[in-house]
Every structure is written in structure tokens, then in C-alpha cells.
Amino acid sequence: MQKDTLFATLETAVTAGDKQSARATLELAHPADIAEAICEFTAQQAVHYLSLLSLPDHAVLFGYLTPHAQAEIAREMSRNDLAALFSQMEADERADLFNRLSEEDQHTLLPGLAQAEREDVRRLASYPEETAGALMTSDYATLRGHWPVRKALKKLRLEAPDKETIYQTYVIDANRHLVGTLSLRELILANPDRLVEELMRTEVVHTQVDEDQEVVAKKIRHYDLLALPVLDAEDRLVGIVTYDDAMDAAVEEATEDAQKSASVAKLDAPMNQVTGWELYRKRVFWLVLLVFGSLLSGAGIAYFEDTIAKYVALVFFMPLLVGSGGNAGSQSAALMVRALATGEVAMKDWAKVLGRECLVAGALGLTMAVAVFALGWFRGGVEIAWVVAFAMVSVVMAGSLIGLCLPFILSRVKLDPATASGPLVTTIVDATGVLIYFGFATTILGL
């Protein structure tokens, strides 16, 4: 069912006081579609609609809501209702929600949870954001190596309702050290009397609890895993990161990179829910900073005032040249930022990539110089044409190399390379382009 249709159906049913019809609509639709429609309502209305569902269905649907919507709705729920919801949610999802609550709400909620759930929430919520620990779940299945397959299958059958996934199980020793892994398929096909340790794979791809979530997502994608085990500093198994959670983290990282590439700080809510004040606050710093960066271009123009006064035709080509340099720089930066993010390029590849970019940028600059030479001849004569042509080659090469090198430099000093894209590269290349262009003009025209 489409979001708009579902939204209208729910609104009509509740307005008419027809709870039975509203409940039937919620039960027929997919939780992801319901969550998308619920986000269109106020938090108070959403609490009312969600109360029509059974508690298990409520918990499943809650996991599909955006983080911002979850936090807003949770604040409108009573302590008892919220505690009951927490008891039904996946371990990693309730830990994430717990971190989004205010400190006062956290202290109010914890006494309403069972001791095991309370300790689990505290432990998972204690890990730094955007790390494997913050992303992992504690709902995973474990086996012992000395168990026969028959006993292992019986244990999985009993635990399946409470685990996020049993398709991949992890073999641990008495100290919870990870010693192997085994898929459910391998267990089902094995002889019931064989031991788990005879079937398990001992070379297990894993991650550390403090690993960045972007690295975790890369590992899961690279090794094509359903889940990735997470170990603590003592190499004990403490959780797993599932494929769907890794995919959510990858989308979050890509969104953050896209925002930074436009010189916008990470938004705390979806674009359709973020406040005007937050948008202002997240954008103003870079815009003000880049204003002062643009003064470099103005200073360059002022420095070559005499050249411009004698050859006014030069002004006609300035936006064309500076814009071309900025475009070339943005292209290079975008390609390099993405290559660094996906691991296609590393710091050791810098010399190779730089050499190739010099050749490509030179070819691009020559092609564009040929295109503008005739225009320069037409507007200002052969001397102006040569100025524009030489400047075009140099500006495009400079822009491309700046766009290429800036992400490398930021990565080297432990800053996010995505910051190098868009406005930052354009501002730097604009100032450089002005100096190059009028520098050529002064030299070639003999001023």
C-alpha cells in the first residue's frame, strides 16, 4: 500500500473513531510502509495509532521508524508502555533508542526494565557512536565445540525465537573466546552424531568492538557475510553486526559524506523533519568561512587592476576560466573522495594517481583550450587568444590537482576527505585561477 493511501486511510478511520478499521489497515500493511506513514503524523497521534497493534507488532514496526521519529514518539509514551516496548525490541535497536532519550528519561525508564535487559541496554549503549560496539546486537547464537550436532540443533531450535539470526552460529570456549563458526545449513546436513568442532571453520572474519562502522560495513560487503562477529579487547565474543544493520550504517555514512561534500555539517534529523534553526546552524559556519576564502579572488583581481584596465576583454573570459577550473576540481575531488571511502585508493597509491591525473588534466585542459582559442581571437585578437588558451590549460590542471590532493591531505591529517568536495575546492580553485589567468595575461601581453 502506498504511503499516501495508507496515511489517508488511517486518518479517516481514526477521525471516525473506527479503531477496528484502523487496526485492520495496520495489520494488512507491511511494517515499513506503516512506519513511513506514521512519520507524517505528530508524535502524539503516532502513539495512538501504535497502541492499536499488539506489543510484538508494535516493537517490529518501531524498528522501521527513523531515529528522529523513534525519539519523538518515545517521549510521548508512558514509562510502563515504553518499558514494555523495550522488552520486545531487538537488543541493538533498544540500545540505540536509549541513547536518543534524554538523561532524565533514561533514569526514569531503567527501573521498569528487567535486570538482564537493563544491564544489556547499559552495556550496548556505552559504546561510542559509529563503532562496531554501537552497531552490534547481543542476540546471537553460540555453540560449544564438543557438542554433537544433535544437541546443537536442539539448542538452536529452543533459542531461535529470541535470536536475531541463527543462520550463522558461533563456537566459543569456556571463556567466550571465538574459536569457530558454522552455518545452519551445514548443521542440518551433517550427521547428528558428529561434533561441532569437526564441522566448524576456524578462520573467522571478525571485527573489534571499537572498529569504525564504515570499516565494519566494508568487511561485511567484501566477504559477503550475513553477520560479522565482534570481539572485545580480550578477544571474547560480545556481539554480532548483521547485514541489515551494516547496510543502514553504510547509508548513514553515504548521507553524511554527501552533506559534507556540500560543506554542510551532519544533520540530526531527516531533511523533511529538520528545523530551520538546525539547517542554519549546520550551514552557516562553512558559508562564512568560504566568504573570507573568496576574498582571495578579489585580492587577486585588485592586484592586476592595471592589466584589466588596459585589456577589458580579459574580464569577459574570467568567469569561463575560473568556472572551468572549479568544475574540473570538483570532478577530481568527487572521484577521489569516493575512491578513498570505498577503499579503492589508499595513501600508498598517491604518486600513481597523481601522475595519471596530471596526464588526464593536461588532456582536458588542451581540449578546452582549443575550444576557447577561437573565441579569444574573435573577442580580443591573437594575443588574448593565446592568453586564454594557456590559462585554460593551467587552470584546469591546477583545479584537477587541487581537487585530487585535498582529499589525500585531509585523510592524512585524520579529517574526513568528504569535506574537500564542492564549495571548498571551488573557493580555493577560484582564487588560484584568477592568479594564473591574470599572471599569464601580464606576462604574455608585456605589462
Side-chain angles (χ1 to χ4, degrees), residues 79 98 101-112 122:
R79 191 192 80 169
F98 183 79
L101 299 177
S102 66
E103 190 172 340
E104 181 182 351
D105 290 337
Q106 289 176 354
H107 289 312
T108 302
L109 170 67
L110 286 174
R122 279 176 169 162

Side-chain angles (χ1 to χ4, degrees), residues 180-197:
T181 183
L182 192 62
S183 71
L184 180 60
R185 181 177 183 273
E186 290 169 322
L187 274 175
I188 292 173
L189 295 176
N191 186 313
D193 295 322
R194 290 195 68 182
L195 299 181
V196 168
E197 62 188 5

Side-chain angles (χ1 to χ4, degrees), residues 166-419:
I166 60 168
Y167 297 116
Q168 197 71 34
T169 57
Y170 303 94
V171 186
I172 58 174
D173 62 16
N175 296 316
R176 298 196 64 80
H177 293 132
L178 181 64
V179 295
T181 183
L182 192 62
S183 71
L184 180 60
R185 181 177 183 273
E186 290 169 322
L187 274 175
I188 292 173
L189 295 176
N191 186 313
D193 295 322
R194 290 195 68 182
L195 299 181
V196 168
E197 62 188 5
E198 297 174 1
L199 301 169
M200 70 184 187
R201 287 181 288 118
T202 55
E203 294 296 324
V204 187
V205 179
H206 63 273
T207 188
Q208 296 300 129
V209 73
D210 56 353
E211 191 87 80
D212 187 88
Q213 66 177 16
E214 193 170 5
V215 177
V216 172
K218 287 179 182 178
K219 281 188 177 181
I220 289 178
R221 184 181 69 246
H222 180 73
Y223 293 103
D224 197 19
L225 302 174
L226 290 175
L228 183 68
V230 182
L231 309 183
D232 64 10
E234 298 177 7
D235 289 335
R236 294 175 301 191
L237 182 63
V238 291
I240 62 171
V241 177
T242 55
Y243 179 85
D244 56 333
D245 290 330
M247 187 169 62
D248 289 341
V251 171
E252 180 184 330
E253 291 286 347
T255 301
E256 185 178 346
D257 286 348
Q259 291 167 351
K260 285 183 177 179
S261 71
S263 296
V264 178
K266 181 183 177 182
L267 298 180
D268 299 326
M271 188 62 183
N272 62 342
Q273 297 173 357
V274 69
T275 63
W277 165 245
E278 185 182 347
L279 278 176
Y280 168 82
R281 186 166 53 88
K282 297 292 185 179
R283 295 168 64 181
V284 67
F285 171 78
W286 275 107
L287 285 177
V288 172
L289 187 65
L290 293 173
V291 163
F292 290 101
S294 299
L295 292 177
L296 295 174
S297 298
I301 292 171
Y303 182 80
F304 292 104
E305 187 175 355
D306 292 339
T307 302
I308 296 171
K310 190 165 184 180
Y311 291 92
V312 179
L314 292 172
V315 177
F316 175 81
F317 296 99
M318 188 175 69
L320 181 149
L321 288 164
V322 171
S324 296
N327 292 336
S330 295
Q331 285 182 339
S332 294
L335 291 171
M336 192 49 52
V337 166
R338 189 57 186 164
L340 287 170
T342 58
E344 295 173 4
V345 172
M347 292 301 297
K348 61 183 177 63
D349 301 314
W350 185 80
K352 176 184 176 182
V353 174
L354 180 64
R356 186 181 59 191
E357 186 65 18
C358 286
L359 293 174
V360 172
L364 291 171
L366 286 171
T367 304
M368 298 172 73
V370 170
V372 299
F373 183 83
L375 184 60
W377 198 331
F378 174 75
R379 288 286 302 185
V382 67
E383 288 184 320
I384 297 295
W386 282 115
V387 168
V388 173
F390 281 124
M392 178 63 79
V393 175
S394 300
V395 167
V396 170
M397 286 194 68
S400 298
L401 295 181
I402 290 171
L404 175 85
C405 294
L406 205 52
F408 268 112
I409 294 170
L410 292 174
S411 181
R412 187 71 175 178
V413 297
K414 308 300 182 184
L415 295 175
D416 194 335
T419 311

Side-chain angles (χ1 to χ4, degrees), residues 61-216:
L61 191 150
F62 211 80
Y64 285 96
L65 294 171
T66 64
H68 180 75
Q70 285 185 355
E72 290 292 319
I73 293 170
R75 293 189 191 100
E76 293 293 329
M77 298 175 68
S78 67
R79 191 192 80 169
N80 290 338
D81 288 344
L82 188 56
L85 176 64
F86 261 65
S87 68
Q88 295 291 323
M89 292 179 70
E90 302 287 354
D92 54 331
E93 292 179 352
R94 67 188 177 204
D96 290 339
L97 177 57
F98 183 79
N99 277 331
R100 296 184 194 108
L101 299 177
S102 66
E103 190 172 340
E104 181 182 351
D105 290 337
Q106 289 176 354
H107 289 312
T108 302
L109 170 67
L110 286 174
L113 300 178
Q115 183 176 353
E117 293 170 353
R118 185 163 59 245
E119 294 304 319
D120 187 59
V121 166
R122 279 176 169 162
R123 182 174 64 85
L124 292 178
S126 66
Y127 295 108
E129 288 187 17
E130 299 185 357
T131 63
L135 199 60
M136 71 183 185
T137 177
S138 56
D139 292 335
Y140 56 92
T142 59
L143 303 173
R144 293 299 180 89
H146 62 273
W147 288 355
V149 168
R150 181 184 290 104
K151 180 177 180 178
L153 285 172
K154 183 178 180 180
K155 181 175 183 289
L156 290 178
R157 193 177 294 113
L158 292 173
E159 292 185 353
D162 301 320
K163 303 302 179 185
E164 186 158 342
T165 178
I166 60 168
Y167 297 116
Q168 197 71 34
T169 57
Y170 303 94
V171 186
I172 58 174
D173 62 16
N175 296 316
R176 298 196 64 80
H177 293 132
L178 181 64
V179 295
T181 183
L182 192 62
S183 71
L184 180 60
R185 181 177 183 273
E186 290 169 322
L187 274 175
I188 292 173
L189 295 176
N191 186 313
D193 295 322
R194 290 195 68 182
L195 299 181
V196 168
E197 62 188 5
E198 297 174 1
L199 301 169
M200 70 184 187
R201 287 181 288 118
T202 55
E203 294 296 324
V204 187
V205 179
H206 63 273
T207 188
Q208 296 300 129
V209 73
D210 56 353
E211 191 87 80
D212 187 88
Q213 66 177 16
E214 193 170 5
V215 177
V216 172

